[in-house]
Amino acid sequence: MALAKYLISLTKDEESVAGLLTRDAWAFFNNSVSPRELSLVKEIPLIPRRGTFSITPDEELIQYYLDYAHVYDDELRLLGWEPLRIAQASAGFVRKLEDISGQLRGVSHRSKRMAG
């Protein structure tokens, strides 16, 4: 049985941000100690191609993508990207993922602060 997927059309720059997130999601979830997080490894999307990004509607996985989309400023700057281009690419990706999933960036961080 095929799992449901969200399909998102991305610009070339948003696709670059999604690709970096996907690359790092493998390391993040492979190094997790929680069996729940470890089970997400099989749900990590493929690197987006030709402007199409496909992700399983899993709340934890989507939250990872939302919360970490902004961390690639330095890496993209080294590739010659201007700060405005970087900001627009990560914000555009986050906005599209928020729109399709109904989740919001930073929610997991706020929850941890309130619980602690």
Side-chain angles (χ1 to χ4, degrees):
M1 183 171 122
L3 294 174
K5 299 258 184 182
Y6 292 134
L7 292 177
I8 304 170
S9 293
L10 302 176
T11 66
K12 189 74 172 156
D13 287 351
E14 293 166 350
E15 186 178 305
S16 295
V17 171
L20 292 170
L21 282 158
T22 297
R23 176 198 70 194
D24 293 346
W26 284 100
F28 181 83
F29 289 107
N30 271 314
N31 292 326
S32 298
V33 291
S34 158
R36 167 66 183 129
E37 288 177 337
L38 193 55
S39 73
L40 289 176
V41 171
K42 69 178 187 285
E43 304 299 333
I44 295 172
L46 298 175
I47 299 288
R49 297 281 185 241
R50 292 185 217 124
T52 301
F53 179 67
S54 174
I55 189 168
T56 303
D58 183 280
E59 288 182 21
E60 288 180 69
L61 185 59
I62 290 171
Q63 201 64 54
Y64 171 85
Y65 276 76
L66 291 173
D67 291 346
Y68 293 100
H70 68 286
V71 301
Y72 297 100
D73 292 5
D74 291 337
E75 186 170 350
L76 292 170
R77 204 171 289 119
L78 288 172
L79 294 172
W81 288 37
E82 297 294 324
L84 180 60
R85 181 180 177 195
I86 295 167
Q88 289 173 334
S90 62
F93 174 73
V94 166
R95 185 176 49 256
K96 289 175 181 179
L97 190 52
E98 285 177 332
D99 287 349
I100 202 164
S101 69
Q103 291 178 237
L104 299 173
R105 181 177 148 227
V107 170
S108 62
H109 297 299
R110 286 192 290 269
S111 300
K112 289 177 185 174
R113 281 195 299 260
M114 293 172 93

